């Protein structure tokens, strides 16, 4: 055990002290937050106010087009020909022509512009005209627009879990998002850190450093120490990323909120009302909950301690299971080019797991979900998708036991290959040759 701990310590410190580790640990969250912050900042600050001229021959749309922060409407009283002639020398972005017979022929509306107008502007103009025409036709039929609006009902249901502990509010949306994020993190970590184990072993083998190390450490101890050492590096990086991302996201949200409030006083007023628990005046009926409180309520409805504990277990279990196989591949070959033929059988179950996760999100209690969350090669990703939705304790226990047994099996298999391949040079290895190494005494 002492030798294993020495290898773990060496692998951990060597990687953690690298400048690349420190730079990526610090820059990773910063680049992630900065990317989205810049996108939102540019989206908010780059919208210019557009001027739209309206020539309404029908006289039905006077003052129906309301000015906004991004669009300003000017009503014209001239003829179409003179309006088009004046438009060419003006700073207006578009000219909307509404003919006199627009009620009978709504498709006769024309939008003139020096170049193509955006879909948002086109949709907003069409929406105003459609609404006014609908109101006129409904009025002619004896139905006011208010009656029609009152007849529309927006159903918003709440999901409640019934268990032995009683009723508990749940959130399928939050479960889907949390499960998907956990599955994606495990999927990426298996590839990233498993590949690090493989390349580290290959580099030591090709540089002949391993010959010196093997003289004082058994091959199995060296392989296990490398696997666990890289796992601890991954956990350290994940923890730092979570802490830094949370801090940077909070700071970026505060800055962007100030930017948005400066751009739109009305939005700031509405946000202030919602923060104070008051209904938003811009919504029908004012029965709109605070979106921040709604998100926090949805997340708090989940069993977060169970999700976090299971994530750590399946992160380590999935990584250990696959990194043992990656380590065996690294010991069997002499260079990175030769690893490709052995990578496919290892990576296929991981890829299948991520693909199956899309179907499991739709039916987390189905047959596919059950079996793929039990099989060790797919359970780290699939079970993390299912857990936020609620999984019986016996299924989680069975999945964990089988994952531990799977790790022990792959470690034994990898150790058999590792002990022979780590000191073998200059020979092209085939699957038949690997099978012989496994049964060597």
């Amino acid at each position: 055990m002492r030798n294993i701990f020495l290898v773990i310590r060496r692998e951990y410190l060597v990687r953690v002290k690298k400048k690349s580790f420190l730079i990526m640990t610090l820059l990773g969250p910063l680049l992630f937050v900065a990317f989205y912050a810049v996108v939102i900042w540019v989206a908010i600050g780059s919208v210019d106010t557009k001027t739209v001229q309206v020539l309404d021959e029908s006289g039905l749309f006077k003052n129906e087009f309301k000015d906004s922060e991004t669009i300003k409407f000017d009503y014209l009283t001239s003829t179409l020909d003179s309006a088009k002639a004046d438009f060419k020398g003006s700073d207006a972005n578009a000219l909307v022509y509404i003919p006199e017979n627009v009620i009978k022929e709504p498709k006769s509306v024309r939008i003139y512009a020096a170049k193509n107008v955006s879909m948002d502007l086109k949709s907003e103009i069409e929406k105003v005209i459609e609404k006014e025409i609908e109101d006129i036709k409904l009025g002619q039929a004896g139905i006011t627009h208010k009656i029609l609006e009152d007849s529309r009902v927006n159903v918003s249901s709440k999901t409640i879990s019934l268990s032995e502990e009683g009723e508990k509010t749940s959130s399928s949306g939050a479960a889907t998002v949390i499960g998907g994020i956990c599955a994606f993190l495990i999927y990426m970590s298996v590839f990233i850190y498993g590949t690090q184990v493989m390349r580290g072993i290959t580099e030591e083998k090709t540089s002949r450093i391993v010959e010196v190390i093997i003289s004082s450490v058994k091959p199995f101890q060296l392989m296990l120490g490398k696997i666990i050492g890289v796992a601890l590096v991954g956990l350290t990086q994940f923890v730092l990323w979570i802490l830094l991302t949370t801090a940077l996201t909070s700071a970026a949200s505060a800055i962007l909120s100030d930017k948005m409030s400066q751009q739109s006083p009305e939005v700031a007023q509405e946000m202030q009302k919602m923060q104070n628990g008051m209904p938003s005046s811009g919504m029908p009926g004012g029965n709109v909950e605070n979106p921040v409180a709604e998100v926090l309520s949805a997340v708090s409805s989940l069993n977060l301690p169970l999700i976090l504990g299971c994530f750590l277990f399946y992160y380590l279990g999935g990584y250990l299971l696959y990194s043992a196989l990656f380590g065996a591949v690294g010991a069997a070959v002499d260079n990175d080019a030769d690893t490709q033929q052995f990578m496919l059988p290892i990576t296929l179950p991981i890829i299948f797991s991520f693909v199956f996760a899309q179907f499991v999100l739709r039916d987390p209690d189905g047959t596919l979900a059950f079996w793929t969350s039990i099989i060790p090669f797919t359970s780290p990703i699939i079970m993390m998708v299912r857990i936020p939705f609620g999984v019986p304790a016996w299924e989680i226990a069975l999945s964990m036991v089988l994952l531990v047994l799977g790790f022990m099996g792959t470690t034994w298999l990898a150790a058999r290959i590792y002990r022979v391949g780590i000191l073998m040079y200059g020979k092209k290895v085939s699957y038949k040759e690997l099978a012989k190494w496994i049964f060597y005494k």
Side-chain angles (χ1 to χ4, degrees):
M1 288 297 294
R2 181 175 178 275
N3 289 336
I4 294 178
F5 283 122
L6 289 174
V7 175
I8 293 173
R9 181 174 177 272
R10 173 185 175 273
E11 293 294 323
Y12 181 82
L13 293 178
V14 166
R15 284 172 168 79
V16 168
K17 290 181 178 180
K18 283 184 177 180
K19 289 184 179 179
S20 58
F21 175 86
L22 297 174
I23 292 173
M24 286 309 302
T25 301
L26 295 175
L27 286 184
L30 185 61
L31 292 174
F32 176 80
V33 174
F35 173 77
Y36 285 100
V38 168
V39 170
I40 297 172
W41 187 281
V42 171
I44 293 172
S46 63
V47 178
D48 298 327
T49 302
K50 294 180 175 60
T51 301
V52 177
Q53 296 178 346
V54 179
L55 178 59
D56 179 19
E57 292 184 347
S58 67
L60 301 173
F61 298 90
K62 184 65 175 178
N63 299 324
E64 290 299 327
F65 292 94
K66 305 296 183 183
D67 292 345
S68 65
E69 293 180 2
T70 57
I71 303 176
K72 184 175 181 291
F73 294 96
D74 288 337
Y75 291 90
L76 306 179
T77 57
S78 59
T79 62
L80 178 60
D81 291 337
S82 61
K84 289 194 291 186
D86 295 339
F87 174 77
K88 294 180 181 179
S90 67
D91 295 330
N93 299 95
L95 168 63
V96 180
Y97 169 66
I98 305 174
E100 187 175 356
N101 62 341
V102 67
I103 301 296
K104 294 181 180 179
E105 298 182 15
K107 293 184 178 181
S108 60
V109 176
R110 297 290 180 266
I111 300 177
Y112 298 93
K115 53 184 179 180
N116 287 336
V117 297
S118 65
M119 286 299 298
D120 289 342
L121 179 60
K122 182 175 182 291
S123 298
E124 184 166 345
I125 294 170
E126 291 175 349
K127 188 185 299 182
V128 172
I129 298 174
E130 287 172 358
K131 180 180 178 299
E132 184 63 22
I133 293 176
E134 285 178 1
D135 287 345
I136 293 172
K137 289 187 174 182
L138 288 171
Q140 292 174 350
I143 303 173
T144 65
H145 194 76
K146 185 178 183 304
I147 294 176
L148 185 63
E149 287 293 331
D150 292 341
S151 66
R152 293 173 180 170
V153 180
N154 182 19
V155 178
S156 179
S157 62
K158 290 185 177 181
T159 55
I160 299 174
S161 300
L162 296 176
S163 62
E164 297 178 355
E165 300 175 355
E167 297 183 3
K168 182 181 178 182
T169 303
S170 61
S171 173
S172 56
T176 301
V177 172
I178 296 297
I181 291 175
C182 291
F184 179 75
L185 290 176
I186 293 176
Y187 173 79
M188 292 300 297
S189 65
V190 168
F191 269 112
I192 294 173
Y193 299 111
T195 305
Q196 283 189 18
V197 173
M198 181 183 68
R199 289 180 176 174
I201 293 174
T202 304
E203 289 174 2
E204 290 183 353
K205 180 179 177 179
T206 54
S207 63
R208 302 296 179 100
I209 295 176
V210 71
E211 295 179 5
V212 179
I213 300 175
I214 289 296
S215 62
S216 55
V217 180
K218 292 182 179 180
F220 175 78
Q221 294 174 336
L222 178 60
M223 185 191 72
L224 192 61
K226 282 183 172 295
I227 291 172
I228 297 175
V230 175
L232 294 177
V233 172
L235 276 178
T236 302
Q237 198 165 47
F238 264 129
V239 171
L240 292 175
W241 275 349
I242 291 171
L243 295 175
L244 292 172
T245 302
T246 302
L248 292 172
T249 302
S250 301
S253 299
I255 296 173
L256 289 173
S257 297
D258 293 340
K259 176 70 174 176
M260 292 180 67
S261 62
Q262 293 173 5
Q263 291 287 327
S264 175
E266 293 82 2
V267 171
Q269 186 177 1
E270 290 296 322
M271 291 176 62
Q272 185 64 36
K273 286 182 179 180
M274 298 173 74
Q275 289 175 358
N276 294 334
M278 298 172 61
S280 172
S281 60
M283 298 296 177
N287 295 323
V288 181
E289 297 181 6
N290 187 337
V292 177
E294 197 171 338
V295 171
L296 294 177
S297 176
V299 173
S300 63
S301 67
L302 303 176
N303 191 343
L304 295 179
L306 176 64
I307 294 174
L308 180 59
C310 289
F311 173 78
L312 293 176
F313 177 85
Y314 282 104
Y315 164 80
L316 288 173
Y319 161 78
L320 293 174
L321 184 144
Y322 279 102
S323 61
L325 297 177
F326 278 113
V329 172
V333 299
D334 292 336
N335 52 68
D336 289 338
D338 294 336
T339 62
Q340 301 305 316
Q341 61 174 323
F342 300 109
M343 287 285 289
L344 183 62
I346 299 175
T347 56
L348 274 179
I350 312 175
I351 297 172
F352 284 150
S353 299
F354 197 71
V355 174
F356 290 154
Q358 319 304 318
F359 301 98
V360 173
L361 284 171
R362 301 177 184 176
D363 185 14
D365 296 318
T367 304
L368 175 66
F370 172 78
W371 287 109
T372 52
S373 63
I374 296 300
I375 299 172
F377 288 97
T378 57
S379 63
I381 292 176
I382 302 300
M383 185 56 85
M384 282 313 306
V385 171
R386 294 185 62 201
I387 285 176
F389 291 93
V391 180
W394 70 269
E395 290 188 20
I396 298 177
L398 177 61
S399 175
M400 287 182 171
V401 170
L402 291 178
L403 182 58
V404 171
L405 293 177
F407 162 63
M408 294 172 63
T410 55
T411 303
W412 175 86
L413 184 69
R416 304 288 293 183
I417 297 173
Y418 190 93
R419 67 193 177 106
V420 178
I422 196 64
L423 295 177
M424 186 169 289
Y425 302 93
K427 182 177 181 180
K428 292 291 184 180
V429 182
S430 63
Y431 287 105
K432 184 177 180 181
E433 190 71 21
L434 289 180
K436 293 181 180 179
W437 293 359
I438 294 173
F439 296 103
Y440 280 163
K441 294 184 178 179

